[in-house]
Amino acid sequence: MVLELLRPAGGVLAETMISLDLFRRRPAVVQIPSEILSDISTGILVCTSPRTGSNHLAGLMASAGLGNPLEWFGGRRLLEQPGYPRDARGQLLRALTEGRSSSGIYAIKLFASQFAQVAKKVNLPASLPNLHYVRLTRSDLLGQAISWARARQTRRFRSSEVNRASPRYDGEAIAESLEKILMENLAWDGWFAKNGLSFLALTYEQVQQNPRGSLEKIAQLAGVEPVWGTNLGSGLEIQRDATNDEWRKRFLSEYADPSSFPHRKKRGFLKI
């Protein structure tokens, strides 16, 4: 109603105010109930993108008492739990309770695309108490894209799951996956830079080669001691096999072009 009054025959003032988002509501800071807050010592936000081994790292962290970093904001919780909260506040409270280990450490795994949706409603960093950041990436970006394209086809995102469809090579899907991963990484990198936030940088490869050392770094970041049990592990296995290698060779033979920038679809830049 207000905007219509400000918009006489394409009024410049109204258009300017709309473009500046002057009427956009600021994301809310969630007030954590005292009974939940009293059980929390510190928190860890794993900022990542698909197919970085984040499920493996989540299992390792849980086994060492460093929280339970699942996709509490959207993702698998919505698909697997019909009664899971649809609102960001409810999801945040689940993260602080079900994502918390007995030592009082809560942990969350978050993709940039998920953060973009949450940020429309909730000021996540301001709502999460005593928060520390882990930036998990994968050095082999093409391998990551191939893994994601394959998982989206088969619907098998963990080694503990079964294929729902047979994998088939799709160069276009790999190219799209690669561009989306690059956009996810760019979003996180830009966010950390513009907010001057410090973080622990880990790669998929580092976690695979030295899981204990990676957990020690996370524990040091949070100022806690890991709990070393007898069964340190995630229960997951590497899914990469000869098929991934075959797809890489075929993709490079079809798409590699050092004379130009990466592949773009005809409709323009891909969005997350």
Side-chain angles (χ1 to χ4, degrees):
M1 181 68 177
V2 175
L3 290 181
E4 291 304 318
L5 293 174
L6 291 173
R7 197 199 297 264
V12 176
L13 176 60
E15 299 300 333
T16 302
M17 294 178 80
I18 293 171
S19 65
L20 292 176
D21 289 333
L22 295 183
F23 293 100
R24 182 169 62 91
R25 296 181 62 182
R26 292 182 178 275
V29 175
V30 176
Q31 299 301 314
I32 310 302
S34 57
E35 62 271 19
I36 295 178
L37 199 59
S38 62
D39 291 331
I40 292 173
S41 61
T42 191
I44 301 168
L45 184 63
V46 179
C47 306
T48 189
S49 58
R51 312 311 290 173
T52 56
S54 57
N55 286 326
H56 176 56
L57 179 60
L60 290 172
M61 289 175 63
S63 70
L66 298 174
N68 190 23
L70 302 180
E71 293 174 43
W72 298 109
F73 296 94
R76 298 180 68 93
R77 306 285 80 69
L78 292 176
L79 295 175
E80 297 173 351
Q81 301 180 19
Y84 193 76
R86 261 48 182 175
D87 64 295
R89 180 184 181 278
Q91 293 170 356
L92 186 147
L93 295 180
R94 285 290 186 96
L96 294 179
T97 52
E98 296 179 19
R100 187 183 68 236
S101 61
S102 58
S103 58
I105 304 169
Y106 71 89
I108 299 167
K109 181 179 78 170
L110 197 64
F111 299 149
S113 52
Q114 294 169 339
F115 183 36
Q117 293 301 313
V118 174
K120 295 176 182 179
K121 300 291 184 179
V122 168
N123 184 334
L124 199 58
S127 301
L128 295 172
N130 198 16
L131 186 61
H132 303 84
Y133 300 98
V134 172
R135 180 79 175 91
L136 178 64
T137 59
R138 185 165 174 171
S139 299
D140 181 8
L141 291 173
L142 179 54
Q144 182 179 353
I146 291 170
S147 176
W148 195 18
R150 180 173 175 175
R152 291 164 75 183
Q153 277 187 5
T154 64
R155 310 308 298 171
R156 186 188 184 194
F157 293 94
R158 299 175 180 173
S159 61
S160 57
E161 300 172 337
V162 298
N163 287 345
R164 298 184 184 178
S166 298
R168 56 177 180 79
Y169 174 80
D170 186 340
E172 190 72 25
I174 295 173
E176 288 187 15
S177 295
L178 178 58
E179 291 193 359
K180 288 183 178 181
I181 288 167
L182 292 172
M183 292 300 292
E184 287 261 350
N185 288 342
L186 179 62
W188 279 128
D189 292 344
W191 182 75
F192 278 112
K194 76 175 183 179
N195 291 291
L197 296 172
S198 60
F199 58 90
L200 168 66
L202 287 176
T203 66
Y204 165 91
E205 291 79 5
Q206 288 174 324
V207 175
Q208 290 289 340
Q209 294 169 7
N210 188 5
R212 189 182 181 97
S214 300
L215 293 175
E216 288 175 342
K217 290 180 180 180
I218 294 174
Q220 184 178 13
L221 171 74
V224 299
E225 291 291 333
V227 180
W228 301 119
T230 57
N231 296 316
L232 178 64
S234 66
L236 299 176
E237 299 176 355
I238 293 176
Q239 294 176 254
R240 185 174 61 254
D241 57 22
T243 297
N244 296 61
D245 297 333
E246 292 171 5
W247 287 12
R248 180 191 293 269
K249 291 179 181 178
R250 184 171 174 182
F251 180 85
L252 290 175
S253 69
E254 295 177 359
Y255 285 82
D257 180 5
S259 68
S260 65
F261 282 121
H263 166 79
R264 297 176 186 172
K265 287 188 69 101
K266 294 181 179 179
R267 63 174 179 268
F269 290 107
L270 288 166
K271 297 181 180 179
I272 293 174

